[in-house]
Amino acid sequence: MSEVDQSLNLSSSGSVFSPGSAAGSILVIDDEGGIRESLEVLLSLEGYSIKTAPDGEQGLRMLEMESFDLVLLDLALPGQSGLDLLPQIKERQPETPVIMITAYGTVENVVDAIRAGAENFVQKPWDNEKLLADIRSAVARYKAEEENLQLKRTLKQRYNFANIVGKSEIMLRVFDLVSQVAPSRSTVLIQGESGTGKELIAKAIHANSPRRDKPFVPINTGAMPTELLESTLFGHVKGAFTSAIASKKGLFEVANGGTLFLDEIATMGSDTQAKILRVLQDRRFMHLGGIQEIQVDVRIIAATNIDLRQAVREGKFREDLFYRLNVIMVDLPPLRSRREDIPLLVNHFLEFYANENGLSPRRLSADALRALIDYEWPGNVRELENSIERGVVLSSGPVIGSELLPGHITGRSFQDALLEHNPNASLFDILEDIERRIIVEKLERCNWNQTDAAEQFHIPLSTLNQKIKRLNIEIRKRGRE
């Protein structure tokens, strides 16, 4: 079977799109007419919109005229090679993924292409299933990233919600509710499981309110004993208690004119609840040990990770305070109820932690993303963020595989994941990969100070540098000390 005939063998392509469906737009740059034709037929049946160019010059002109979701680029082109063309493509459309295609692939070509920004490298004659899988994965990731950027721009323009990511219907309803209540003076109660982003919502309400230029003051009320909590909230006069050696303002005064965010409010004792209720009713309070009333203009936003109605029924929370707080309820959904938001959140955290650690852009492999989507997320967005940070820190290249995710998420050990990915891996390969990860983790903990890392490993610095070179570990910028 010829190369063209092989690529036109569509019976096993596993098409999941009907012709004409909006799967994405692809530009094919290849000097062989038969290859262009075969790819056009194969990809059109998958629902992609296809444009073709016989050389780099025409391909670049097309890229200047319209945007594409993917470029399939031949390595051996007349005039400029694919490797010469790749940086020019990235200059015109930096985020568009490029898959290189060639009949003459070498290790050096693959390395050069990946370093220049290629998404993947495919050998002729290709396997239809493998090629289509690579294309679907690249296009889906590109669309998710573009959607994430567009969503960020829209939310930032409309609501100043730049750090809150979500496109699910349930989160869009939350955004709409927040945008409606933000301009008011009303007290807001945010209810949701731990890690769902309650403080981010509180900050968004404040940032979109007339109080935006005044203080936003958060306090975790569950982290303090009663006496310290009341002193922190209301302030005290000198001598109010044994350690009160000087008078001190409370957070209600600090937040005057702005917003006070009371997190984990259900943990407060009944006496403190009564004092909070009085401030909500009268906008007045007294310092601990004081006799003079102080008037404040403070908006209260409270948050809880338990059902306050149930706490009221059980006598653990004052009913009158509950109704004072529950003027407007914002109910944040757990992450498992909005799984369609996970790819957007993943891209958001990948970008953030790559930038924070001075790394080149990172992306998840398809199996890693699937593991994250399938996981139940008891720790919600905070747990997802920690998992992505871990993967970025431990990664030694642009792709983060499932073996870099916590084992309780993937349900398998690092060794299992490595062997599953490469069942023919030798003991040397496995040990070398483990060594690489241990060194990267140690360097990260030492803020990428190689001298400190060598001392902690009890090896000479020259030995560590040799290992870093042999294991192709990417040295990162040192952060703040």
Side-chain angles (χ1 to χ4, degrees), residues 186-378:
S186 299
T187 302
V188 178
L189 178 62
I190 305 172
Q191 189 164 286
E193 295 179 8
S194 294
T196 48
K198 296 185 288 294
E199 185 168 346
L200 284 177
I201 293 294
K203 287 179 178 178
I205 293 172
H206 174 77
N208 291 277
S209 75
R211 300 171 181 265
R212 66 178 66 89
D213 295 325
K214 298 295 184 179
F216 174 85
V217 181
I219 178 173
N220 185 335
T221 61
M224 299 182 184
T226 298
E227 184 178 83
L228 178 58
L229 174 60
E230 292 191 0
S231 171
T232 301
L233 287 171
F234 305 111
H236 60 257
V237 299
K238 182 179 179 180
F241 46 87
T242 304
S243 59
I245 59 176
S247 297
K248 177 186 174 183
K249 285 185 176 182
L251 294 185
F252 272 102
E253 290 170 276
V254 174
N256 192 27
T259 303
L260 181 62
F261 175 57
L262 303 174
D263 198 7
E264 295 191 27
I265 196 166
T267 61
M268 289 194 309
S270 57
D271 290 344
T272 309
Q273 291 179 34
K275 293 180 179 180
I276 294 289
L277 176 63
R278 183 164 184 265
V279 179
L280 284 170
Q281 290 173 331
D282 304 332
R283 300 185 182 277
R284 296 175 182 272
F285 68 95
M286 288 190 291
H287 288 152
L288 268 64
I291 58 173
Q292 184 177 358
E293 284 193 327
I294 301 168
Q295 186 168 358
V296 290
D297 174 21
V298 176
R299 184 183 197 173
I300 300 292
I301 301 178
T304 177
N305 59 9
I306 70 169
D307 185 344
L308 276 190
R309 289 187 178 86
Q310 183 62 30
V312 169
R313 287 192 290 268
E314 295 173 355
K316 297 178 180 178
F317 198 82
R318 292 180 63 113
E319 184 175 21
D320 48 4
L321 178 57
F322 169 72
Y323 288 117
R324 279 286 180 179
L325 293 173
N326 191 32
V327 177
I328 297 170
M329 166 79 81
V330 177
D331 200 357
L332 283 183
L335 186 55
R336 60 186 171 275
S337 297
R338 54 183 188 108
R339 295 182 190 273
E340 60 266 49
D341 290 338
I342 289 176
L344 295 178
L345 287 161
V346 165
N347 289 331
H348 173 75
F349 293 134
L350 284 172
E351 179 183 354
F352 177 84
Y353 284 108
N355 289 336
E356 186 175 75
N357 289 282
L359 300 175
S360 58
R362 296 300 196 251
R363 65 178 187 270
L364 286 186
S365 65
D367 62 321
L369 181 59
R370 173 48 54 192
L372 296 182
I373 292 173
D374 291 342
Y375 183 59
E376 286 302 301
W377 298 110

Side-chain angles (χ1 to χ4, degrees), residues 352-417:
F352 177 84
Y353 284 108
N355 289 336
E356 186 175 75
N357 289 282
L359 300 175
S360 58
R362 296 300 196 251
R363 65 178 187 270
L364 286 186
S365 65
D367 62 321
L369 181 59
R370 173 48 54 192
L372 296 182
I373 292 173
D374 291 342
Y375 183 59
E376 286 302 301
W377 298 110
N380 292 293
V381 178
R382 185 182 298 121
E383 184 182 5
L384 174 62
E385 180 178 1
N386 292 341
S387 300
I388 296 302
E389 181 182 8
R390 178 185 191 275
V392 170
V393 167
L394 295 180
S395 63
S396 57
V399 180
I400 299 174
S402 59
E403 72 275 4
L404 293 182
L405 299 177
H408 67 274
I409 292 177
T410 60
R412 53 187 176 174
S413 67
F414 158 69
Q415 289 87 342
D416 291 339

Side-chain angles (χ1 to χ4, degrees), residues 388-461:
I388 296 302
E389 181 182 8
R390 178 185 191 275
V392 170
V393 167
L394 295 180
S395 63
S396 57
V399 180
I400 299 174
S402 59
E403 72 275 4
L404 293 182
L405 299 177
H408 67 274
I409 292 177
T410 60
R412 53 187 176 174
S413 67
F414 158 69
Q415 289 87 342
D416 291 339
L418 182 62
L419 289 170
E420 180 179 315
H421 178 71
N422 182 8
N424 298 317
S426 67
L427 178 60
F428 174 81
D429 292 333
I430 295 172
L431 292 176
E432 187 177 73
D433 212 48
I434 293 173
E435 183 181 19
R436 178 184 297 107
R437 297 177 199 287
I438 291 172
I439 291 175
V440 168
E441 186 170 0
K442 178 67 72 176
L443 286 167
E444 179 64 32
R445 290 179 178 177
C446 292
N447 198 26
W448 288 87
N449 186 315
Q450 287 138 271
T451 301
D452 289 349
E455 288 178 358
Q456 292 188 27
F457 277 133
H458 304 291
I459 61 175
L461 177 59

Side-chain angles (χ1 to χ4, degrees), residues 154-216:
T154 301
L155 293 177
K156 190 170 183 179
Q157 291 168 359
R158 291 177 61 193
Y159 310 128
N160 194 23
F161 290 173
N163 291 321
I164 307 173
V165 177
K167 66 169 184 176
S168 59
E169 184 63 34
I170 193 168
M171 283 304 295
L172 292 179
R173 288 199 297 269
V174 169
F175 296 148
D176 285 340
L177 177 58
V178 169
S179 68
Q180 291 173 7
V181 306
S184 72
R185 297 174 59 92
S186 299
T187 302
V188 178
L189 178 62
I190 305 172
Q191 189 164 286
E193 295 179 8
S194 294
T196 48
K198 296 185 288 294
E199 185 168 346
L200 284 177
I201 293 294
K203 287 179 178 178
I205 293 172
H206 174 77
N208 291 277
S209 75
R211 300 171 181 265
R212 66 178 66 89
D213 295 325
K214 298 295 184 179
F216 174 85

Side-chain angles (χ1 to χ4, degrees), residues 36-72:
R36 295 197 303 274
E37 181 182 349
S38 66
L39 285 170
E40 189 168 6
V41 172
L42 174 66
L43 298 175
S44 295
L45 287 174
E46 289 291 310
Y48 294 101
S49 171
I50 308 300
K51 296 284 181 71
T52 65
D55 55 49
E57 184 178 350
Q58 186 171 331
L60 290 175
R61 284 200 300 270
M62 297 174 74
L63 285 162
E64 290 172 349
M65 295 173 60
E66 62 180 296
S67 60
F68 293 90
D69 298 320
L70 178 77
V71 176
L72 287 173

Side-chain angles (χ1 to χ4, degrees), residues 86-99:
L86 184 55
Q88 300 176 65
I89 293 174
K90 287 296 181 180
E91 183 179 341
R92 286 161 175 78
Q93 297 189 21
E95 306 304 324
T96 300
V98 177
I99 294 180

